[in-house]
PDB file of all heavy atoms in Angstrom:
ATOM      1  N   SER A  84     117.274 107.068 110.901  1.00  0.00           N
ATOM      2  CA  SER A  84     118.530 106.596 111.545  1.00  0.00           C
ATOM      3  C   SER A  84     118.228 105.133 111.969  1.00  0.00           C
ATOM      4  O   SER A  84     117.115 104.672 111.953  1.00  0.00           O
ATOM      5  CB  SER A  84     118.765 107.373 112.743  1.00  0.00           C
ATOM      6  OG  SER A  84     117.805 107.133 113.753  1.00  0.00           O
ATOM      7  N   GLY A  85     119.243 104.474 112.455  1.00  0.00           N
ATOM      8  CA  GLY A  85     119.156 103.104 112.933  1.00  0.00           C
ATOM      9  C   GLY A  85     118.405 103.097 114.222  1.00  0.00           C
ATOM     10  O   GLY A  85     117.600 102.176 114.403  1.00  0.00           O
ATOM     11  N   THR A  86     118.568 104.067 115.174  1.00  0.00           N
ATOM     12  CA  THR A  86     117.726 104.144 116.349  1.00  0.00           C
ATOM     13  C   THR A  86     116.199 104.179 115.902  1.00  0.00           C
ATOM     14  O   THR A  86     115.423 103.552 116.613  1.00  0.00           O
ATOM     15  CB  THR A  86     118.175 105.446 117.126  1.00  0.00           C
ATOM     16  OG1 THR A  86     119.549 105.505 117.198  1.00  0.00           O
ATOM     17  CG2 THR A  86     117.493 105.457 118.514  1.00  0.00           C
ATOM     18  N   LEU A  89     114.940 101.008 114.770  1.00  0.00           N
ATOM     19  CA  LEU A  89     114.502  99.989 115.896  1.00  0.00           C
ATOM     20  C   LEU A  89     113.177 100.504 116.570  1.00  0.00           C
ATOM     21  O   LEU A  89     112.301  99.648 116.764  1.00  0.00           O
ATOM     22  CB  LEU A  89     115.636  99.991 116.883  1.00  0.00           C
ATOM     23  CG  LEU A  89     116.788  99.314 116.479  1.00  0.00           C
ATOM     24  CD1 LEU A  89     117.962  99.801 117.510  1.00  0.00           C
ATOM     25  CD2 LEU A  89     116.751  97.841 116.538  1.00  0.00           C
ATOM     26  N   THR A 110     125.623  96.126 124.039  1.00  0.00           N
ATOM     27  CA  THR A 110     125.269  96.544 122.720  1.00  0.00           C
ATOM     28  C   THR A 110     125.307  98.098 122.774  1.00  0.00           C
ATOM     29  O   THR A 110     125.489  98.704 123.899  1.00  0.00           O
ATOM     30  CB  THR A 110     123.924  96.134 122.265  1.00  0.00           C
ATOM     31  OG1 THR A 110     123.436  96.740 120.980  1.00  0.00           O
ATOM     32  CG2 THR A 110     122.768  96.582 123.402  1.00  0.00           C
ATOM     33  N   PHE A 111     125.245  98.740 121.617  1.00  0.00           N
ATOM     34  CA  PHE A 111     125.309 100.159 121.621  1.00  0.00           C
ATOM     35  C   PHE A 111     123.968 100.523 122.305  1.00  0.00           C
ATOM     36  O   PHE A 111     123.051  99.872 122.258  1.00  0.00           O
ATOM     37  CB  PHE A 111     125.341 100.758 120.243  1.00  0.00           C
ATOM     38  CG  PHE A 111     125.329 102.239 120.029  1.00  0.00           C
ATOM     39  CD1 PHE A 111     126.293 102.878 120.818  1.00  0.00           C
ATOM     40  CD2 PHE A 111     124.400 102.877 119.211  1.00  0.00           C
ATOM     41  CE1 PHE A 111     126.162 104.381 120.695  1.00  0.00           C
ATOM     42  CE2 PHE A 111     124.426 104.219 119.112  1.00  0.00           C
ATOM     43  CZ  PHE A 111     125.381 104.916 119.805  1.00  0.00           C
ATOM     44  N   ALA A 113     121.691 102.642 121.774  1.00  0.00           N
ATOM     45  CA  ALA A 113     120.552 102.879 120.903  1.00  0.00           C
ATOM     46  C   ALA A 113     119.599 101.638 120.954  1.00  0.00           C
ATOM     47  O   ALA A 113     118.372 101.943 120.858  1.00  0.00           O
ATOM     48  CB  ALA A 113     121.005 103.274 119.569  1.00  0.00           C
ATOM     49  N   THR A 114     120.114 100.437 120.979  1.00  0.00           N
ATOM     50  CA  THR A 114     119.233  99.335 120.982  1.00  0.00           C
ATOM     51  C   THR A 114     118.223  99.432 122.222  1.00  0.00           C
ATOM     52  O   THR A 114     117.042  99.156 122.056  1.00  0.00           O
ATOM     53  CB  THR A 114     120.038  98.122 121.253  1.00  0.00           C
ATOM     54  OG1 THR A 114     121.250  98.050 120.378  1.00  0.00           O
ATOM     55  CG2 THR A 114     119.298  96.765 120.966  1.00  0.00           C
ATOM     56  N   VAL A 156     121.027  91.364 118.603  1.00  0.00           N
ATOM     57  CA  VAL A 156     121.936  92.195 117.966  1.00  0.00           C
ATOM     58  C   VAL A 156     123.128  91.464 117.244  1.00  0.00           C
ATOM     59  O   VAL A 156     123.605  90.616 117.854  1.00  0.00           O
ATOM     60  CB  VAL A 156     122.619  93.357 119.030  1.00  0.00           C
ATOM     61  CG1 VAL A 156     123.476  94.302 118.225  1.00  0.00           C
ATOM     62  CG2 VAL A 156     121.640  93.975 119.881  1.00  0.00           C
ATOM     63  N   ASP A 182     118.360  93.706 115.419  1.00  0.00           N
ATOM     64  CA  ASP A 182     119.214  94.878 115.341  1.00  0.00           C
ATOM     65  C   ASP A 182     120.426  94.455 114.389  1.00  0.00           C
ATOM     66  O   ASP A 182     121.398  94.038 114.878  1.00  0.00           O
ATOM     67  CB  ASP A 182     119.621  95.343 116.686  1.00  0.00           C
ATOM     68  CG  ASP A 182     120.474  96.591 116.620  1.00  0.00           C
ATOM     69  OD1 ASP A 182     120.968  96.906 115.605  1.00  0.00           O
ATOM     70  OD2 ASP A 182     120.604  97.165 117.655  1.00  0.00           O
ATOM     71  N   CYS A 184     122.194  96.821 112.778  1.00  0.00           N
ATOM     72  CA  CYS A 184     122.836  98.063 112.562  1.00  0.00           C
ATOM     73  C   CYS A 184     124.403  97.849 112.408  1.00  0.00           C
ATOM     74  O   CYS A 184     125.023  98.846 111.853  1.00  0.00           O
ATOM     75  CB  CYS A 184     122.615  98.994 113.611  1.00  0.00           C
ATOM     76  SG  CYS A 184     120.846  99.625 113.639  1.00  0.00           S
ATOM     77  N   GLN A 185     125.038  96.617 112.643  1.00  0.00           N
ATOM     78  CA  GLN A 185     126.410  96.423 112.416  1.00  0.00           C
ATOM     79  C   GLN A 185     126.662  95.300 111.526  1.00  0.00           C
ATOM     80  O   GLN A 185     127.754  94.842 111.424  1.00  0.00           O
ATOM     81  CB  GLN A 185     127.000  96.121 113.778  1.00  0.00           C
ATOM     82  CG  GLN A 185     126.867  97.220 114.854  1.00  0.00           C
ATOM     83  CD  GLN A 185     127.781  97.160 116.030  1.00  0.00           C
ATOM     84  OE1 GLN A 185     128.461  96.163 116.212  1.00  0.00           O
ATOM     85  NE2 GLN A 185     127.743  98.129 116.908  1.00  0.00           N
ATOM     86  N   SER A 211     121.217 100.726 110.428  1.00  0.00           N
ATOM     87  CA  SER A 211     121.682 102.062 110.552  1.00  0.00           C
ATOM     88  C   SER A 211     122.535 102.419 109.230  1.00  0.00           C
ATOM     89  O   SER A 211     123.405 101.512 108.872  1.00  0.00           O
ATOM     90  CB  SER A 211     122.617 102.295 111.750  1.00  0.00           C
ATOM     91  OG  SER A 211     123.170 103.491 111.663  1.00  0.00           O
ATOM     92  N   TYR A 213     124.559 105.176 109.484  1.00  0.00           N
ATOM     93  CA  TYR A 213     125.567 106.128 110.111  1.00  0.00           C
ATOM     94  C   TYR A 213     126.860 106.112 109.226  1.00  0.00           C
ATOM     95  O   TYR A 213     127.203 104.931 108.883  1.00  0.00           O
ATOM     96  CB  TYR A 213     125.752 105.780 111.537  1.00  0.00           C
ATOM     97  CG  TYR A 213     126.819 106.493 112.162  1.00  0.00           C
ATOM     98  CD1 TYR A 213     126.544 107.831 112.686  1.00  0.00           C
ATOM     99  CD2 TYR A 213     128.057 106.027 112.417  1.00  0.00           C
ATOM    100  CE1 TYR A 213     127.468 108.564 113.388  1.00  0.00           C
ATOM    101  CE2 TYR A 213     129.126 106.717 113.127  1.00  0.00           C
ATOM    102  CZ  TYR A 213     128.717 108.054 113.659  1.00  0.00           C
ATOM    103  OH  TYR A 213     129.802 108.787 114.275  1.00  0.00           O
ATOM    104  N   LYS A 216     129.319 103.018 109.488  1.00  0.00           N
ATOM    105  CA  LYS A 216     128.723 101.641 109.317  1.00  0.00           C
ATOM    106  C   LYS A 216     129.152 101.018 107.967  1.00  0.00           C
ATOM    107  O   LYS A 216     129.640 101.672 107.149  1.00  0.00           O
ATOM    108  CB  LYS A 216     127.237 101.580 109.532  1.00  0.00           C
ATOM    109  CG  LYS A 216     126.682 102.194 110.801  1.00  0.00           C
ATOM    110  CD  LYS A 216     126.940 101.274 111.875  1.00  0.00           C
ATOM    111  CE  LYS A 216     126.803 101.990 113.335  1.00  0.00           C
ATOM    112  NZ  LYS A 216     125.509 101.753 113.976  1.00  0.00           N
ATOM    113  N   GLY A 224     120.937 108.029 108.625  1.00  0.00           N
ATOM    114  CA  GLY A 224     120.051 107.369 107.855  1.00  0.00           C
ATOM    115  C   GLY A 224     119.654 105.868 108.448  1.00  0.00           C
ATOM    116  O   GLY A 224     120.549 105.440 109.185  1.00  0.00           O
TER     117      GLY A 224
HETATM  118  C1  LIG B 402     124.692 102.251 115.171  1.00  0.00           C
HETATM  119  C2  LIG B 402     123.924 101.428 115.933  1.00  0.00           C
HETATM  120  C3  LIG B 402     122.537 101.757 116.271  1.00  0.00           C
HETATM  121  C4  LIG B 402     121.958 103.108 115.976  1.00  0.00           C
HETATM  122  O1  LIG B 402     121.985 103.618 114.727  1.00  0.00           O
HETATM  123  P1  LIG B 402     122.038 105.141 114.439  1.00  0.00           P
HETATM  124  O2  LIG B 402     121.938 105.271 112.998  1.00  0.00           O
HETATM  125  O3  LIG B 402     123.328 105.750 114.920  1.00  0.00           O
HETATM  126  O4  LIG B 402     120.907 105.695 115.185  1.00  0.00           O
HETATM  127  C5  LIG B 402     121.770 100.824 116.958  1.00  0.00           C
HETATM  128  N1  LIG B 402     122.256  99.673 117.185  1.00  0.00           N
HETATM  129  C6  LIG B 402     123.527  99.216 117.032  1.00  0.00           C
HETATM  130  C7  LIG B 402     124.047  97.939 117.392  1.00  0.00           C
HETATM  131  C8  LIG B 402     124.409 100.116 116.265  1.00  0.00           C
HETATM  132  O5  LIG B 402     125.701  99.788 116.123  1.00  0.00           O
END
Side-chain angles (χ1 to χ4, degrees):
S84 69
T86 310
L89 290 164
T110 176
F111 181 50
T114 316
V156 184
D182 182 342
C184 290
Q185 298 191 358
S211 163
Y213 176 80
K216 300 290 165 94

